[in-house]
Amino acid sequence: MIFEIAKESLLDGLTKAVPITEKKSALPILSHVLLNATDPELVLIATDLSVGLRMQYPCEIKEAGILAVPCRKLFEMVKELGTGTVHLSLGETGRLKIMSGKSVFELAAMDASDYPAWLSYEEVETAPLQSEKLVFMLDKTLFACSNDESRFNLNGVLFEQNEDRIKLVATDGHRLATIDEDLGMVIPSRKVVVAKKNLIELKRMLEGFKEEVRLGFEAKNLIVKTDRFMMTVRLTEGDYPDYRKVIPKPGARIVKTNHDQVIQTLRRAAVLTSERNKGITIDVRPGAMEITAVHPDLGIAQDVVDASYEGEAFSVIVNVNYLMDSLASINTEAVSFDFHDDGGPIVVNAEPAANYFNLVMPMRK
Amino acid sequence: MSALPGERYILHVDADAFFASVEQVLRPDLQGLPVIVSGGDRGVVSAASYEARRFGVHSAMPTVQARKLCPRAVFLSPNFSAYKEFSTRMFAIMKGYSPQVEVTSVDEGYVDLTGTFRLHRAPPWEIAHRMLSEIRAGLGINVSGGIAGTKCFAKMTTGLAKPNGLLYLEPQHARIVLARLPVESIPGVGKKAEEILKRRGIMTVGDVADLSRRRLQRLLGKWGGALWELATGNDGRPVVSSHRDPQKSYSKEHTLEQDSKDLGHVWSVVAQLTEKVAARLRADGRGACTVTVKVRSADFSDMSRSMSLKFPTNLTRDLLDCAARLFRLTAGRRFGIRQVGVKLSGIDVPVLQTDLFEPRRHIAAARDRTVDQIRNRFGFHAVKILRGSGYGQPPGVG
């Protein structure tokens, strides 16, 4: 294998591959990137077995070949090289020889035949994706996924086809975030779940693309591609709970307030919540919400934010981080909280209502 | 009267056959019967009621031996959450009489009554009498007390007052009375020191007191000097009020009757341990963030795994779920299992975060409270939680 490639092209591919090769794995080969120099292009492949990435770059091939090398090390070397052409070749020792200007590296490599097979899913139908919209939707939901291994089915985001629109739902059981949007995409199975960690990779990739992106679904994978890139994202198997059952109808105790003011008030109160117990008390009375945090050892924080509310006074205890997360996902100047009866969820909504909202479950004494 | 300058009145309080007495209070049908609290047939006796002691049973004796001596005794496994509650109540009563109360164990402690004459307008023995009467009446258990000028003498005096008595020894009498006791009755004199002393004909407390400090130090090293102070009534250690630091972890271990490869059976033991530590956690109004399961194999190799929850909890259900997952990770089939243990740590105020998909979580909390009440009254086995009803059979085991 002998080829020459522009440093910028190689670095671009390695930069994208590095995060995927750095996942913890029992298989050493997964920390490697596969270099496949086949006329007229260099194909880079990286996978953690859930997310796969295939990228093509133009290069000048003198002798075709294929080799797996430690991704992070190659990335670090190439990053430090001067601009210009990089010359790569397979040495007699089985190492990859990297030359640029006066720099010469030899990097230990692994046999390409040990690398997991790449399934290209060429036959999968794809449609143009409005990737900015999808990134926006992921921003509105990813934070609410569960990180708890014991609730494996909640570790991802539900994508659900609803006529022409796609609905995303994320929940960890304590809060829920949802958004729906016309993405111009079709989910053949109507419903898929994608793990949060895989979606983080997808989002990173989508944010990096400037060209048109196409998206499609295969039985077990979500596929995103452009002319030169292809990413496969493993779908999560398993049931997703029936989120519709837990979304309450609008209630009578709706409180409207200023977004920035309430978030600042919560931030101040959060200072005096304890490490493990993030509970704050919200006392709602006509015209105001009073927020109290009590730290058993350190003291008390009390703050008031103006709010439009006319009904009877009531109070709720809630995890301040959950409330702040849900408010952070809202972009409007005003927000509304819809409080439900004893133990029911708090619906956090943009005001005026938008195509996304959150639920936060309260705490009990 | 008032205390002479420098004269101290120290009361030592010790509950008689504490665990067994608590069991007899909780189950009146056991009154008058020999009751032995022990940790299973491979364990030792934790407490024996006075009825059982007549047969020669005493604490720390192997359970097997106790069974031989008193086969008709009622053998119970310990119910620590109940003992803890009785203990807390006993010390609360004691703290009502003097601010200086030192808790030395679950059923034993010291009270400094030196300054209480002015407070209570009564001599120390009168105050002690009221205190013990209040404990007996309030808790229904027997307690004994000894008053003397030092902690060591007070504790030895309690030994003479037992069972269910109170004894005050004035300083000049204390040395005479206690001098006749054998050396091993001095707190801290163990088997080894006893042997060294007795080999030299030093048989009683009086014999020790007659020796010079230097001689004792030559015999027993540094500890000899301390022993001389104890035996001569020069033990100046103050009663140190215990500000009990909140407990940092709750744990429980169990050695199986026989090494076992039956993971279903071993899991049921782990589940019971989990239920018991969870009950102790609830009795203290605390929650735990971290669960650890330890498995000791027949070859004495230990394997332990922990996992952390998002919030401190004391729901049996949550903790059992974790324990089940951890048990699956720790229990191999290669060797039999000898011992298992469960530890709860990351202790904090419990949080009951309601859940979208489990609307009945608060009912689980109410159920735990009810189960605790029944078990405190009738013993652990009065209620059995059926596995499979949301109570986490460990996956892959059965």
Side-chain angles (χ1 to χ4, degrees):
Chain A
M1 181 174 81
I2 305 168
F3 66 95
E4 279 181 355
I5 185 167
K7 179 209 162 181
E8 275 62 38
S9 300
L10 186 56
L11 186 60
D12 181 68
L14 293 171
T15 308
K16 289 185 166 77
V18 160
I20 291 167
T21 57
E22 298 210 310
K23 299 279 158 64
K24 275 187 199 143
S25 168
L27 297 175
I29 193 122
L30 295 185
S31 65
H32 288 48
V33 61
L34 190 71
L35 306 178
N36 186 358
T38 332
D39 212 28
E41 288 189 310
L42 172 68
V43 176
L44 292 175
I45 288 176
T47 180
D48 63 3
L49 301 182
S50 312
V51 174
L53 194 59
R54 182 181 187 277
M55 299 163 284
Q56 289 165 263
Y57 294 93
C59 69
E60 199 174 309
I61 293 175
K62 304 224 164 82
E63 193 184 311
I66 182 165
L67 196 64
V69 286
C71 188
R72 156 68 62 183
K73 282 294 158 211
L74 183 59
F75 164 74
E76 284 172 358
M77 289 171 188
V78 174
K79 192 175 70 164
E80 301 306 333
L81 292 175
T83 42
T85 309
V86 188
H87 179 94
L88 297 102
S89 58
L90 175 59
E92 282 165 17
T93 51
R95 291 177 172 171
L96 179 70
K97 197 169 182 184
I98 303 135
M99 293 185 294
S100 176
K102 288 176 184 157
S103 318
V104 181
F105 302 92
E106 274 186 37
L107 184 59
M110 284 178 87
D111 193 340
S113 59
D114 292 338
Y115 207 81
W118 173 261
L119 300 171
S120 63
Y121 305 117
E122 288 302 341
E123 72 290 357
V124 172
E125 246 179 74
T126 57
L129 172 75
Q130 295 156 306
S131 45
E132 273 170 28
K133 270 192 189 169
L134 182 56
V135 169
F136 180 82
M137 290 174 83
L138 291 174
D139 281 337
K140 295 279 179 253
T141 48
L142 273 177
F143 71 90
C145 288
S146 173
N147 295 317
D148 186 350
E149 284 169 40
S150 67
R151 303 186 93 166
F152 182 73
N153 59 337
L154 300 182
N155 291 167
V157 174
L158 172 74
F159 286 62
E160 195 179 58
Q161 180 98 44
N162 207 340
E163 290 169 13
D164 289 344
R165 297 171 78 84
I166 299 288
K167 177 172 266 187
L168 265 55
V169 182
T171 178
D172 62 2
H174 303 146
R175 60 325 198 0
L176 178 147
T178 179
I179 178 166
D180 79 312
E181 180 72 80
D182 181 0
L183 266 181
M185 101 185 181
V186 175
I187 306 173
S189 60
R190 322 277 314 157
K191 220 155 96 162
V192 295
V193 179
V194 189
K196 178 183 180 177
K197 61 182 176 71
N198 296 350
L199 287 172
I200 291 172
E201 295 305 331
L202 175 67
K203 186 175 158 237
R204 193 203 318 270
M205 206 54 61
L206 291 177
E207 283 167 341
F209 287 140
K210 288 172 191 74
E211 57 269 52
E212 189 200 62
V213 180
R214 298 178 70 83
L215 183 141
F217 289 90
E218 181 270 338
K220 287 186 171 167
N221 291 281
L222 176 157
I223 291 156
V224 173
K225 59 185 187 185
T226 71
D227 291 345
R228 299 191 168 278
F229 300 84
M230 177 159 180
M231 186 177 201
T232 63
V233 179
R234 174 71 62 88
L235 304 175
T236 302
E237 287 171 36
D239 291 334
Y240 202 80
D242 185 358
Y243 69 90
R244 282 190 189 80
K245 266 206 279 197
V246 302
I247 296 176
K249 293 194 176 73
R253 300 197 295 194
I254 296 180
V255 181
K256 291 177 184 171
T257 184
N258 179 278
H259 177 267
D260 291 357
Q261 275 175 20
V262 73
I263 215 166
Q264 275 158 17
T265 310
L266 291 172
R267 265 191 213 134
R268 286 191 289 265
V271 175
L272 280 181
T273 54
S274 76
E275 189 79 8
R276 296 192 182 104
N277 178 345
K278 288 283 166 195
I280 52 155
T281 305
I282 305 179
D283 290 297
V284 181
R285 51 183 158 86
M289 294 205 295
E290 190 175 314
I291 288 157
T292 313
V294 179
H295 190 292
D297 305 322
L298 299 178
I300 299 174
Q302 268 181 317
D303 217 322
V304 179
V305 58
D306 294 336
S308 69
Y309 175 69
E310 294 305 326
E312 255 178 58
F314 62 90
S315 58
V316 181
I317 307 173
V318 64
N319 181 315
V320 70
N321 285 354
Y322 290 168
L323 209 52
M324 289 197 297
D325 284 348
S326 78
L327 287 166
S329 77
I330 287 174
N331 313 84
T332 49
E333 233 174 81
V335 283
S336 80
F337 299 98
D338 184 0
F339 293 93
H340 287 79
D341 282 342
D342 193 27
I346 304 161
V347 184
V348 185
N349 231 326
E351 177 63 29
N355 60 340
Y356 58 90
F357 66 91
N358 295 285
L359 301 185
V360 178
M361 288 299 277
M363 289 157 64
R364 279 174 188 266
K365 264 188 189 159
Chain B
M1 65 148 282
S2 91
L4 296 169
E7 192 171 337
R8 297 195 300 160
Y9 294 94
I10 291 170
L11 167 67
H12 175 255
V13 177
D14 191 356
D16 302 339
F18 182 59
F19 295 177
S21 300
V22 172
E23 296 293 351
Q24 286 175 325
V25 173
L26 293 173
R27 291 178 54 181
D29 51 311
L30 297 179
Q31 297 276 357
L33 297 179
V35 173
I36 295 172
V37 177
S38 82
D41 273 353
R42 292 216 275 182
V44 295
V45 173
S46 305
S49 72
Y50 276 82
E51 295 85 352
R53 290 186 193 193
R54 271 187 227 124
F55 294 87
V57 179
H58 56 79
S59 50
M61 170 185 280
T63 309
V64 181
Q65 196 184 341
R67 263 191 209 284
K68 279 188 197 139
L69 289 170
C70 187
R72 294 174 63 187
V74 180
F75 283 82
L76 299 172
S77 48
N79 176 0
F80 287 110
S81 57
Y83 309 150
K84 186 108 187 278
E85 169 151 9
F86 273 72
S87 167
T88 309
R89 281 160 59 193
M90 179 173 101
F91 285 108
I93 293 172
M94 288 157 66
K95 282 171 190 160
Y97 288 86
S98 166
Q100 274 173 296
V101 175
E102 179 175 337
V103 181
T104 49
S105 81
V106 67
D107 62 346
E108 200 182 318
Y110 295 94
V111 188
D112 193 336
L113 295 175
T114 309
T116 50
F117 179 76
R118 275 167 59 185
L119 186 69
H120 294 285
R121 299 263 138 229
W125 45 91
E126 174 60 30
I127 298 162
H129 174 68
R130 287 183 207 163
M131 185 190 297
L132 297 190
S133 302
E134 190 182 336
I135 294 171
R136 288 173 192 137
L139 274 63
I141 59 170
N142 289 345
V143 278
S144 302
I147 308 171
T150 68
K151 281 167 86 171
C152 172
F153 277 10
K155 188 174 161 93
M156 290 165 70
T157 306
T158 308
L160 296 176
K162 271 177 181 287
N164 211 22
L166 172 64
L167 182 61
Y168 165 48
L169 292 177
E170 288 180 54
Q172 66 272 31
H173 297 142
R175 292 186 59 168
I176 299 164
V177 174
L178 299 174
R180 296 177 192 168
L181 296 177
V183 279
E184 66 270 24
S185 60
I186 302 174
V189 174
K191 281 258 169 337
K192 208 171 159 193
E194 181 189 339
E195 197 194 310
I196 294 171
L197 293 168
K198 287 196 171 165
R199 214 187 302 141
R200 287 168 176 78
I202 304 159
M203 310 301 279
T204 64
V205 177
D207 294 344
V208 177
D210 287 342
L211 295 175
S212 71
R213 185 191 195 115
R214 192 173 293 169
R215 171 90 204 277
L216 268 175
Q217 274 173 333
R218 270 205 305 273
L219 282 177
L220 298 168
K222 212 173 171 188
W223 152 239
L227 179 62
W228 182 83
E229 284 178 1
L230 294 178
T232 52
N234 284 305
D235 161 29
R237 291 173 301 155
V239 173
V240 183
S241 332
S242 318
H243 308 282
R244 274 214 299 182
D245 278 337
Q247 212 173 322
K248 294 219 169 68
S249 70
Y250 292 72
S251 58
K252 199 161 171 51
E253 291 186 347
H254 182 81
T255 306
L256 302 171
E257 314 294 321
Q258 287 181 331
D259 297 342
S260 174
K261 283 189 173 182
D262 175 356
L263 294 187
H265 166 67
V266 182
W267 161 244
S268 74
V269 175
V270 175
Q272 266 190 27
L273 293 177
T274 311
E275 282 183 54
K276 287 176 178 170
V277 278
R280 276 163 55 195
L281 200 60
R282 286 192 291 271
D284 287 355
R286 320 281 295 173
C289 277
T290 306
V291 183
T292 306
V293 170
K294 190 190 93 177
V295 170
R296 172 168 291 171
S297 298
D299 66 345
F300 280 85
S301 63
D302 285 342
M303 173 81 147
S304 84
R305 286 282 179 276
S306 304
M307 72 183 274
S308 286
L309 293 149
K310 217 162 174 184
F311 302 110
T313 180
N314 57 29
L315 289 188
T316 293
R317 186 171 67 167
D318 292 353
L319 298 168
L320 268 181
D321 274 349
C322 288
R325 292 158 58 81
L326 294 168
F327 180 65
R328 194 163 47 130
L329 296 174
T330 42
R333 287 174 191 270
R334 209 149 73 85
F335 290 103
I337 293 170
R338 177 183 169 81
Q339 189 190 50
V340 285
V342 175
K343 184 170 106 176
L344 305 179
S345 52
I347 305 299
D348 211 319
V349 181
V351 171
L352 192 65
Q353 169 68 55
T354 56
D355 194 289
L356 283 161
F357 305 104
E358 285 180 71
R360 296 164 70 79
R361 268 179 83 76
H362 61 286
I363 297 176
R367 178 170 50 193
D368 284 345
R369 275 196 298 276
T370 309
V371 169
D372 289 348
Q373 280 167 6
I374 297 171
R375 282 180 172 164
N376 278 339
R377 174 97 172 71
F378 299 106
F380 183 83
H381 294 286
V383 190
K384 189 169 165 67
I385 296 171
L386 291 177
R387 316 275 169 234
S389 54
Y391 273 85
Q393 180 91 13
V397 171

